[in-house]
Amino acid sequence: MSTDFERRLIAHAAARYKVAGPYAWHFARGKLGGDPVFVAMLRDGLLPSPTTILDLGCGEALLASWLLAAAELHARGDWPADWPAPPRIEAYRGIELQPRDVARARCALPAVFRVERGDIRDAALGKAGLVVILDVLHYIALADQRRVLERVRACLQPGGTLLLRVGDAAGGLPFRISLAVDALVTRLRGQSLGRLQCRPLSAWLAELSALGFAVRAVPMSAGTPFANHLLIAHPGDPGRNAA
Ligand SMILES: C[S@@+](CC[C@H](N)C(=O)[O-])C[C@H]1O[C@@H](n2cnc3c(N)ncnc32)[C@H](O)[C@@H]1O
């Protein structure tokens, strides 16, 4: 159940998409309001500050709009006393495969928020303090997942963070529900779902650890019927894993 403040923040962040058409606006409202990851990132202080963000498979770049709205409400003094200040974003760059999402994001966001059409399997990543990958990697083959994660590790600046949201393939019915919703949303977006490459949470943790990340998993399905986890990973100290 969202608080009054959360509802204001959701409405403010989603309103930016009205210029991109009714679908983009309603999708933004539904996703920002229904997905616990957006509130958790701010309420629980999961984002470093200041930081430069690389958002891989960014869709409509809702994360950018969310953080922009947070900064605006905070500047107005409209901010919960028990939440940390929102992060200061020095740069945001999103990479997204679907031209329609890229167009919606560009329409909604100020030009300093860069959203590029590209494939995360081969796009140049540059350098970033924070890499965010929310619900994307399971769309690409296992070998490509590994290559992307290797390149993410190389692109992170010292002290950098990777936030990777994944479904737990060992999560039983909640995981199967998330697959069904994924298929429905993909169809509504006019796309087709290829073969999904999902893994149990333990395998995601092992993969990140093998690539030299220290990683912890935070359940990220509150208020939904899914089996999602946010993996918070830092290069180095690969022995410090905890589920
Ligand atoms: C479930 S959506 C999540 C969007 C966004 N991360 C969010 O949380 O709002 C997954 C996105 O990943 C994008 N995607 C899938 N494979 C990709 C690839 N190889 N390169 C870039 N984007 C990709 C899809 O087009 C889609 O927009």
Side-chain angles (χ1 to χ4, degrees):
M1 176 72 83
S2 300
T3 64
D4 284 349
F5 170 75
E6 288 164 15
R7 279 193 287 276
R8 281 198 301 282
L9 183 55
I10 292 160
H12 194 55
R16 217 171 272 284
Y17 289 87
K18 282 182 187 173
V19 291
Y23 174 86
W25 175 44
H26 288 295
F27 181 81
R29 279 202 316 183
K31 176 85 172 159
L32 292 171
D35 186 336
V37 76
F38 294 101
V39 164
M41 281 193 285
L42 293 175
R43 183 198 57 214
D44 303 338
L46 301 181
L47 308 181
S49 179
T51 193
T52 53
I53 299 180
L54 178 62
D55 189 358
L56 297 181
C58 64
E60 295 183 1
L62 293 176
L63 175 62
S65 186
W66 181 248
L67 297 177
L68 195 51
E72 287 168 355
L73 293 197
H74 184 261
R76 285 183 205 165
D78 184 5
W79 196 254
D82 55 348
W83 287 23
R88 187 158 61 79
I89 307 307
E90 294 184 327
Y92 170 93
R93 178 176 168 231
I95 300 177
E96 166 57 44
L97 197 56
Q98 295 299 329
R100 221 170 353 180
D101 283 324
V102 173
R104 287 178 180 136
R106 286 182 180 162
C107 192
L109 293 166
V112 289
F113 288 77
R114 286 170 51 206
V115 181
E116 300 166 11
R117 202 224 153 216
D119 188 325
I120 62 169
R121 289 171 291 191
D122 55 22
L125 301 186
K127 288 283 173 195
L130 171 66
V131 176
V132 180
I133 312 177
L134 300 179
D135 312 332
V136 180
L137 280 193
H138 62 296
Y139 294 117
I140 64 177
L142 291 178
D144 291 326
Q145 293 177 5
R146 171 163 279 227
R147 270 195 294 276
V148 168
L149 290 170
E150 281 169 350
R151 294 197 305 124
V152 164
R153 192 182 189 291
C155 97
L156 279 172
Q157 289 158 343
T161 303
L162 164 65
L163 294 182
L164 172 64
R165 214 254 300 264
V166 296
D168 177 7
L173 182 61
F175 176 69
R176 290 200 296 280
I177 292 174
S178 69
L179 289 186
V181 171
D182 202 355
L184 181 66
V185 172
T186 305
R187 187 171 301 178
L188 287 175
R189 286 156 61 101
Q191 298 158 12
S192 61
L193 208 55
R195 184 164 142 65
L196 298 180
Q197 301 285 348
C198 306
R199 316 178 193 218
L201 177 60
S202 56
W204 282 112
L205 292 171
E207 178 76 342
L208 286 169
S209 184
L211 291 171
F213 286 95
V215 55
R216 67 188 173 96
V218 179
M220 200 50 72
S221 301
T224 74
F226 307 144
N228 290 334
H229 291 262
L230 186 67
L231 308 185
I232 304 172
H234 303 277
D237 300 339
R240 265 194 319 126
N241 286 349

